[in-house]
Every structure is written in structure tokens, then in C-alpha cells.
Amino acid sequence: MIQGNSRVRNLVQSLRTASSFPFKLANNRGYTSQPVPSLQKASQPSARREDEYADVDWDQLGFGLTPTDYMYIMRCSKDEDFKGGRLNRYANIEISPSACVLNYGQGLYEGTKANRTEDGRILLFRPDQNATRMKLGAERMLMSSPSIQQFVDAVKQTVFANKRWIPPPGKGSLYVRPLLLGTGAILGLAPAPEYTFIVYASPVRNYFKEGTAPLNLYIEEEFVRASPGGAGGVKTITNYAPVLKAIARAKERGFSDVLYLDAVDRKYLEEVSSCNIFIVKGNHISTPATNGTILEGVTRKSILEIARGQGYQVEERAIPVDDLVDADEVFCTGTAVGVAPVGSITRRDRRIEFKTEGSLVSKELYSTLVGLQTGRIEDKKGWMVEIH
Ligand code: COI
């Protein structure tokens, strides 16, 4: 297990107030009366106990935003590296109306989770993978990006500072949302002259309102998610608003989410709006090969590795939509979604159903993944990062 570094502790001790940050931070939550936590204070008898929880009804958690105490912000001006990152009170930020991200969508986001273990540790799941993906995305979008170490360090600091918002074991996770935004002002279509890296967090549980019940997906005929040569393979913010209409239409018809086909032949499975997709046939597990149009999910990659380790024949390939007819099981993977079984997929008026009861491959794989993420299973892969 990779240990978190003690810098996190020192940096949290030296938290500064929001007013010292170059952005104007709108104090929309009355935070000025709340003391800045420090570990020194926490060790004194009158201070908040380190293990104290925020006032949240943990049994009611879904995937909505619960604002937490702190966010991390770091900036970078043209031709310079990111530097001077620090924690600030969670608050609105103010940016120019002509910021590149607002006008031209030059922005990337990530998602990762922190969990509490039964024995009181805090574990992050493969944050280096998110850091690397953000770096690759930044290259595609012509953006400056934080180094892998800066990214991981920022995530650790954000989680540590918001520790009281990490749900109790078994009640959910702290979802961590790093953003990279072209915040510099620009009028013509060109890269922003300034970038801002922000990390905020929110406690969450199940992504879908179905909870852990099987999903019912709808195959979209009109819209595609991404096309060859586009940016579907990177986590740009511009990949998400265009699918809202498809999701809304599917939800109106009672479906959980939309499954997209490839833009060229309209014949091969791509991904779901919020997650990657897998099909199971006997001992074979397949997922669409990433070819620039499919997001290289961290959970997707981890499940592929776990499945291989458990003796499944694992394949990344072009999956014709017709293969669904023969599939035993279908499941989705994603940081927010976890591993979710799919009960049915509907295309036009044809509904195909899959196995969702008894011994399920998706259940077995998810149990291993969650076991690693929550410290129940020993991490022999070096995936988990402990924060302390
Ligand atoms: C995630 O799983 O972290 C995502 O970014 C998907 C998002 C639609 C919540």
C-alpha cells in the first residue's frame, strides 16, 4: 500500500482563508464563523474529535451535491507551471465572462472516490490514474495541466480537509471532483492564457435512483456521443451536455440511461452516458475497445485487470449490437456508478433481458473492487493510497 505523505498534514495545518486567494470567492455559506481545522487544534481536548462526522443523514445519500468545507485551487498563467495551490473554503468562484471555458468549453473534469475502512483509515483509489488521464486530456485540449504529483497531492489535501464528510463504512464514499478550466479571458477561438485547477468533494452513495437494482438501458438511434477524430476519449466537459437531451428522453420513457452506438456504422456498442459497458458470455468478458471515442474509465481498466486475475477470458474489441442477444450478463462500470448490473437493453421496440439474479459475474467483480477500495481485501496491486 502506498502511504500518503506527511506534507498533506502540514499543508492542512497551514490553511489560509479564502480572502487570500486571487479569485474573489463568494462566501455563500456563511463560513466566516467556522474555525479553520488544524491538526494541532484537533489534538486538544476541547477541539473537534478527528473522527467526528458532518451532520449528514448518511442513510439518505444519493448522488446529489452536498457541499463540504474546503476546495483546493491552483492557478497557472501563460507559459508558467502550476504553482501556489492551496485549500480554500468551499465557495463560489468569480471568473471573467470571456473565460475560454465559458465561451469555448476548454475544460476537463475527473472523478475519484475516498472511502473509510472499518478500522478507521481513509483510502483513495488509484488517483494517479485520474491524474494521468487529465494530463492526456489537457494535451488534446491544448491546456496546461498540473503534474501527476500536484494532482494527487491536491486530491489528498482536499479529502483530508473534508474528512468529516467521508461517509461511515458501508454508507457511501467521498466523491472527489478535480476540474481543469481555461479561466483566462479570450475573445477569438484560441487556448486560454490562464488555467485553474480546482478540487472539490461531496459525499455520495448510489449514482442511479434505482440504487443497486439492475439498470434498464435505451439504445439511442438519433444522437451519438462521440465520433472518430473527436474528443470522446478524453474527459472534456464538452462530452457531457450534448447527451443531456438523450438522457432526458430515455428517462421520460422510464429508462435508467442511454447506451450509444458508434457514429460511423451505428452498429457497435460505445458507452453509456455516465459509464462504460461490459458484456458477459460464459467465461468471456468483453468491453468495447477504446479507439478515441470511448472514455478510458479507471474502473473499466481496474475491472479488466481484476477479471483477468480471476481467470476470465477478457477482451477489448468492437462489440456488434447484435451480440447483446447472446449475452448472459451486461454490466456498467464507472467511478460514480461502481459496477452496476443491467437488467435490460431496449432498441426501438425490442427489449433484451439479461441475468440479474443468482451468482453474477458483475457481483463477484464488484465485490472484489469494493473490497480493495474499502480495505477489506488486501491491496497487492499498489492501487490504494492511504491518507493520514
Ligand atoms: C464519474 O463516474 O466519475 C463520472 O465522471 C460520470 C459522471 C456522469 C458522474
Side-chain angles (χ1 to χ4, degrees):
M1 181 170 296
I2 302 166
Q3 300 290 304
N5 58 36
S6 60
R7 247 176 0 123
V8 174
R9 186 174 287 257
N10 296 336
L11 284 162
V12 171
Q13 278 176 335
S14 64
L15 273 176
R16 299 182 199 174
T17 57
S19 60
S20 66
F21 185 69
F23 275 143
K24 251 198 204 162
L25 292 164
N27 191 340
N28 59 342
R29 297 189 59 211
Y31 271 130
T32 43
S33 60
Q34 189 184 346
V36 175
S38 85
L39 293 174
Q40 265 171 354
K41 279 186 192 160
S43 63
Q44 292 164 8
S46 58
R48 193 165 65 213
R49 283 189 1 254
E50 263 194 41
D51 62 349
E52 190 181 17
Y53 286 105
D55 184 17
V56 173
D57 183 350
W58 302 110
D59 292 317
Q60 295 303 315
L61 268 188
F63 200 83
L65 177 71
T66 303
T68 57
D69 298 327
Y70 296 97
M71 61 185 185
Y72 181 95
I73 305 185
M74 179 164 60
R75 292 200 315 164
C76 143
S77 300
K78 200 174 177 192
D79 305 328
E80 282 182 2
D81 289 335
F82 271 95
K83 59 176 188 285
R86 58 179 178 252
L87 290 162
N88 294 262
R89 298 291 189 178
Y90 179 86
N92 291 346
I93 58 169
E94 188 175 281
I95 58 174
S96 165
S98 63
C100 192
V101 65
L102 297 183
N103 292 260
Y104 300 124
Q106 198 191 23
L108 295 163
Y109 83 86
E110 278 298 328
T112 186
K113 278 177 176 171
N115 286 295
R116 273 183 209 272
T117 64
E118 287 289 351
D119 59 4
R121 291 174 297 136
I122 300 171
L123 297 180
L124 278 171
F125 184 65
R126 310 187 79 180
D128 58 310
Q129 297 293 313
N130 299 87
T132 305
R133 189 169 63 183
M134 179 170 272
K135 229 177 160 24
L136 294 173
E139 279 165 25
R140 174 66 180 82
M141 303 287 282
L142 226 55
M143 303 169 79
S144 303
S145 63
S147 69
I148 309 286
Q149 196 192 327
Q150 284 176 319
F151 180 106
V152 173
D153 213 46
V155 168
K156 285 181 181 175
Q157 287 191 50
T158 308
V159 170
F160 193 82
N162 291 307
K163 199 173 157 186
R164 69 194 188 102
W165 299 92
I166 307 174
K171 302 275 182 189
S173 313
L174 186 71
Y175 183 78
V176 184
R177 178 53 71 83
L179 296 171
L180 180 62
L181 309 172
T183 41
I186 196 116
L187 192 58
L189 181 54
E194 185 183 294
Y195 295 89
T196 305
F197 175 65
I198 301 177
V199 186
Y200 68 92
S202 173
V204 298
R205 198 161 182 183
N206 294 316
Y207 180 76
F208 289 105
K209 71 168 174 27
E210 286 84 344
T212 53
L215 306 177
N216 297 301
L217 301 179
Y218 182 70
I219 293 187
E220 173 60 43
E221 296 288 334
E222 186 185 355
F223 301 122
V224 292
R225 182 188 164 274
S227 49
V234 299
K235 215 160 170 61
T236 162
I237 57 173
T238 49
N239 283 335
Y240 291 84
V243 298
L244 293 176
K245 189 166 179 177
I247 299 172
R249 285 202 310 210
K251 289 201 166 164
E252 264 167 35
R253 299 182 59 186
F255 296 101
S256 325
D257 205 335
V258 175
L259 171 58
Y260 300 90
L261 300 181
D262 75 284
V264 178
D265 300 307
R266 305 282 177 113
K267 181 178 160 194
Y268 299 99
L269 306 185
E270 293 259 302
E271 63 180 280
V272 178
S273 316
S274 53
C275 43
N276 294 114
I277 191 153
F278 284 73
I279 69 169
V280 183
K281 177 74 185 163
N283 192 42
H284 290 253
I285 299 180
S286 318
T287 192
T290 54
N291 54 7
T293 60
I294 293 166
L295 188 78
E296 302 208 19
V298 177
T299 312
R300 173 188 178 280
K301 184 175 179 178
S302 308
I303 285 294
L304 285 170
E305 203 174 319
I306 289 170
R308 256 184 220 114
Q310 293 185 350
Y312 290 99
Q313 294 292 314
V314 174
E315 219 184 341
E316 295 175 70
R317 64 180 170 96
I319 304 180
V321 63
D322 291 343
D323 281 16
L324 289 175
V325 179
D326 295 324
D328 300 331
E329 267 180 64
V330 174
F331 63 89
C332 291
T333 64
T335 297
V337 166
V339 177
V342 175
S344 75
I345 298 182
T346 301
R347 186 182 194 192
R348 301 189 189 112
D349 292 325
R350 182 167 185 207
R351 179 182 161 106
I352 305 168
E353 298 196 340
F354 310 101
K355 182 179 167 195
T356 56
E357 285 185 354
S359 79
L360 293 176
V361 172
S362 64
K363 229 181 191 168
E364 179 194 350
L365 296 174
Y366 194 32
S367 164
T368 305
L369 180 73
V370 171
L372 288 165
Q373 291 174 333
T374 58
R376 186 173 44 78
I377 295 177
E378 189 193 348
D379 171 31
K380 294 187 179 153
K381 297 173 183 293
W383 284 355
M384 305 312 300
V385 174
E386 185 172 343
I387 299 180
H388 48 170

